[in-house]
Amino acid sequence: MGSDTSENRSSDTVKLLNYGFNSFKINIIKKRDEVLGKVRIEGGKKDFANIVLLNDATELLKNTQSPDEYQFNIKIDKLKAPIKPGEVVGKAEIIDGNNNIIDEVEVTINEEVKKANFLDYFLRNVKIFTAGKVLIKQ
């Protein structure tokens, strides 16, 4: 930093850190356990699973700045069971009020979805049949 002594360097470092901590704040846009939506799971004991962020989505703001309203554009390919929580299943774009993409974060599911077996498929079809829904579309 161009200081001649370690005491001056330490003093300048403390001044910079104090400026940063006094001028900026961290805004949590969305916590990792908040549900963003549902996704279909092929071949699973459950048909759907909740999508959550892998980590908290945060941003750095000036102390005088207020948080924006954000939208999430979720990008996920087809998912096949088995899937465990913590596995990356896609990404979510964080979009601010001016339609600017400010970040792209990884998403996962919040509960394990095991692979369905023959009995699961049989019981699912019995349930659909007894509910009176049409299985074959013309």
Side-chain angles (χ1 to χ4, degrees), residues 73-132:
N73 181 24
I74 301 170
K75 298 177 177 182
I76 298 174
D77 293 329
K78 281 186 176 182
L79 299 179
K80 292 186 178 184
I83 301 176
K84 294 181 180 180
E87 288 183 37
V88 176
V89 298
K91 295 186 183 268
E93 294 176 335
I94 302 173
I95 303 170
D96 68 7
N98 298 323
N99 287 330
N100 297 319
I101 299 171
I102 62 165
D103 199 2
E104 190 173 82
V105 293
E106 295 176 328
V107 294
T108 186
I109 58 172
N110 65 351
E111 59 185 319
E112 184 176 5
V113 179
K114 294 183 179 181
K115 191 171 183 175
N117 57 31
F118 178 76
L119 182 60
D120 295 319
Y121 287 119
F122 178 75
L123 293 174
R124 191 176 298 161
N125 283 323
V126 168
K127 183 178 176 182
I128 291 170
F129 181 72
T130 57

Side-chain angles (χ1 to χ4, degrees), residues 133-138:
K133 294 182 181 179
V134 177
L135 296 177
I136 302 173
K137 295 182 182 179
Q138 295 181 355

